[in-house]
Amino acid sequence: MFRSRANTEKAPTDKVTADLSKQPRDPQAPKGRPTPKRSEAQSQRRRAASAAPADRKAAMKRQREARRADLARQREALASGDERFLPVRDKGPVRRFVRDYVDSRFCVAEWFLPLAVIILVLSVIQVPNMQAIVMMLWLGVIVLIIIDSIGLGLRLKKRLRERFPDTPKRGAVAYGLMRTLQMRRLRLPKPQVKRGERP
């Protein structure tokens, strides 16, 4: 009846702490350590910020090296025709067939750049009749390229339908026509077939 007040108040808190120790700690519960002072938190943030650029530089360096290695592999693949490391636009059996089909033929369009340079040089010559000849040559070259490209495009489309009936062929004919505009020795990936050798 005349117990000390301190003992009666202490008992329930001991039970509560004992009960809490038995239960697993909730993630949302207090962290169990004092909150750092503002100055300490700011200094920690500054240290973290000053350490970040070094990691970023290292990451950038690794990315550059990886990119350089990928480009080197792509260059080797473009020279050798290795399918594994070719750029996405050149990969696949359809694109390979288109390259071989174009490379096995003589195309007027591949001589466009040299002919354009010759015509440009002739146009500089100040002879009255030469200007008319240059214009006729220019028109003739353009007409020949258009006719040859249309014929090649139609034949290529037909062969692709026969050879790859169920494979997507979107952009394959345009890819082939763009290849005809490059001189044979400058084409990438390098030609893998000889002229006249049918793929």
Side-chain angles (χ1 to χ4, degrees):
M1 183 170 166
F2 295 104
R3 280 182 293 176
S4 116
R5 197 169 177 183
N7 289 339
T8 55
E9 285 177 359
K10 207 170 189 179
T13 55
D14 289 343
K15 285 179 187 174
V16 170
T17 52
D19 290 341
L20 283 174
S21 64
K22 289 175 188 174
Q23 294 175 350
R25 185 178 173 275
D26 182 34
Q28 301 298 325
K31 56 188 173 289
R33 58 183 165 78
T35 304
K37 293 180 181 175
R38 180 178 289 186
S39 59
E40 289 173 10
Q42 285 174 346
S43 66
Q44 282 177 355
R45 275 200 298 271
R46 278 196 214 102
R47 277 198 300 272
S50 64
D55 295 338
R56 200 178 306 132
K57 279 182 184 176
M60 292 284 282
K61 189 177 179 183
R62 279 196 299 273
Q63 281 181 348
R64 273 199 303 272
E65 286 170 2
R67 200 177 308 125
R68 213 172 281 134
D70 286 345
L71 288 172
R73 276 200 302 267
Q74 274 189 10
R75 275 195 299 274
E76 287 171 18
L78 288 169
S80 65
D82 187 357
E83 285 279 335
R84 292 173 301 163
F85 303 115
L86 284 175
V88 177
R89 72 186 172 95
D90 298 310
K91 274 186 179 176
V94 173
R95 296 296 168 109
R96 185 178 181 88
F97 176 79
V98 169
R99 286 196 303 273
D100 291 347
Y101 189 85
V102 168
D103 294 337
S104 68
R105 286 168 162 63
F106 171 80
C107 301
V108 180
E110 70 184 273
W111 296 102
F112 173 72
L113 284 176
L115 288 170
V117 170
I118 291 166
I119 290 168
L120 190 65
V121 169
L122 289 174
S123 67
V124 175
I125 299 169
Q126 297 297 321
V127 177
N129 290 338
M130 187 61 73
Q131 300 299 321
I133 291 167
V134 165
M135 284 302 294
M136 291 300 292
L137 275 171
W138 192 240
L139 283 170
V141 166
I142 289 171
V143 168
L144 281 172
I145 288 171
I146 290 169
I147 291 168
D148 187 44
S149 297
I150 289 169
L152 178 71
L154 292 172
R155 288 193 302 272
L156 182 56
K157 200 179 283 186
K158 184 183 174 186
R159 288 294 304 276
L160 284 170
R161 274 200 303 268
E162 292 168 1
R163 192 83 172 258
F164 305 98
D166 301 323
T167 312
K169 298 174 279 292
R170 184 174 178 174
V173 174
Y175 174 75
L177 293 177
M178 287 301 293
R179 192 168 173 84
T180 63
L181 289 169
Q182 301 163 344
M183 293 185 72
R184 185 183 165 85
R185 69 179 66 178
L186 302 176
R187 289 174 184 167
L188 289 173
K190 296 280 186 191
Q192 303 293 313
V193 295
K194 295 176 182 177
R195 285 196 200 273
E197 186 183 330
R198 294 289 177 259

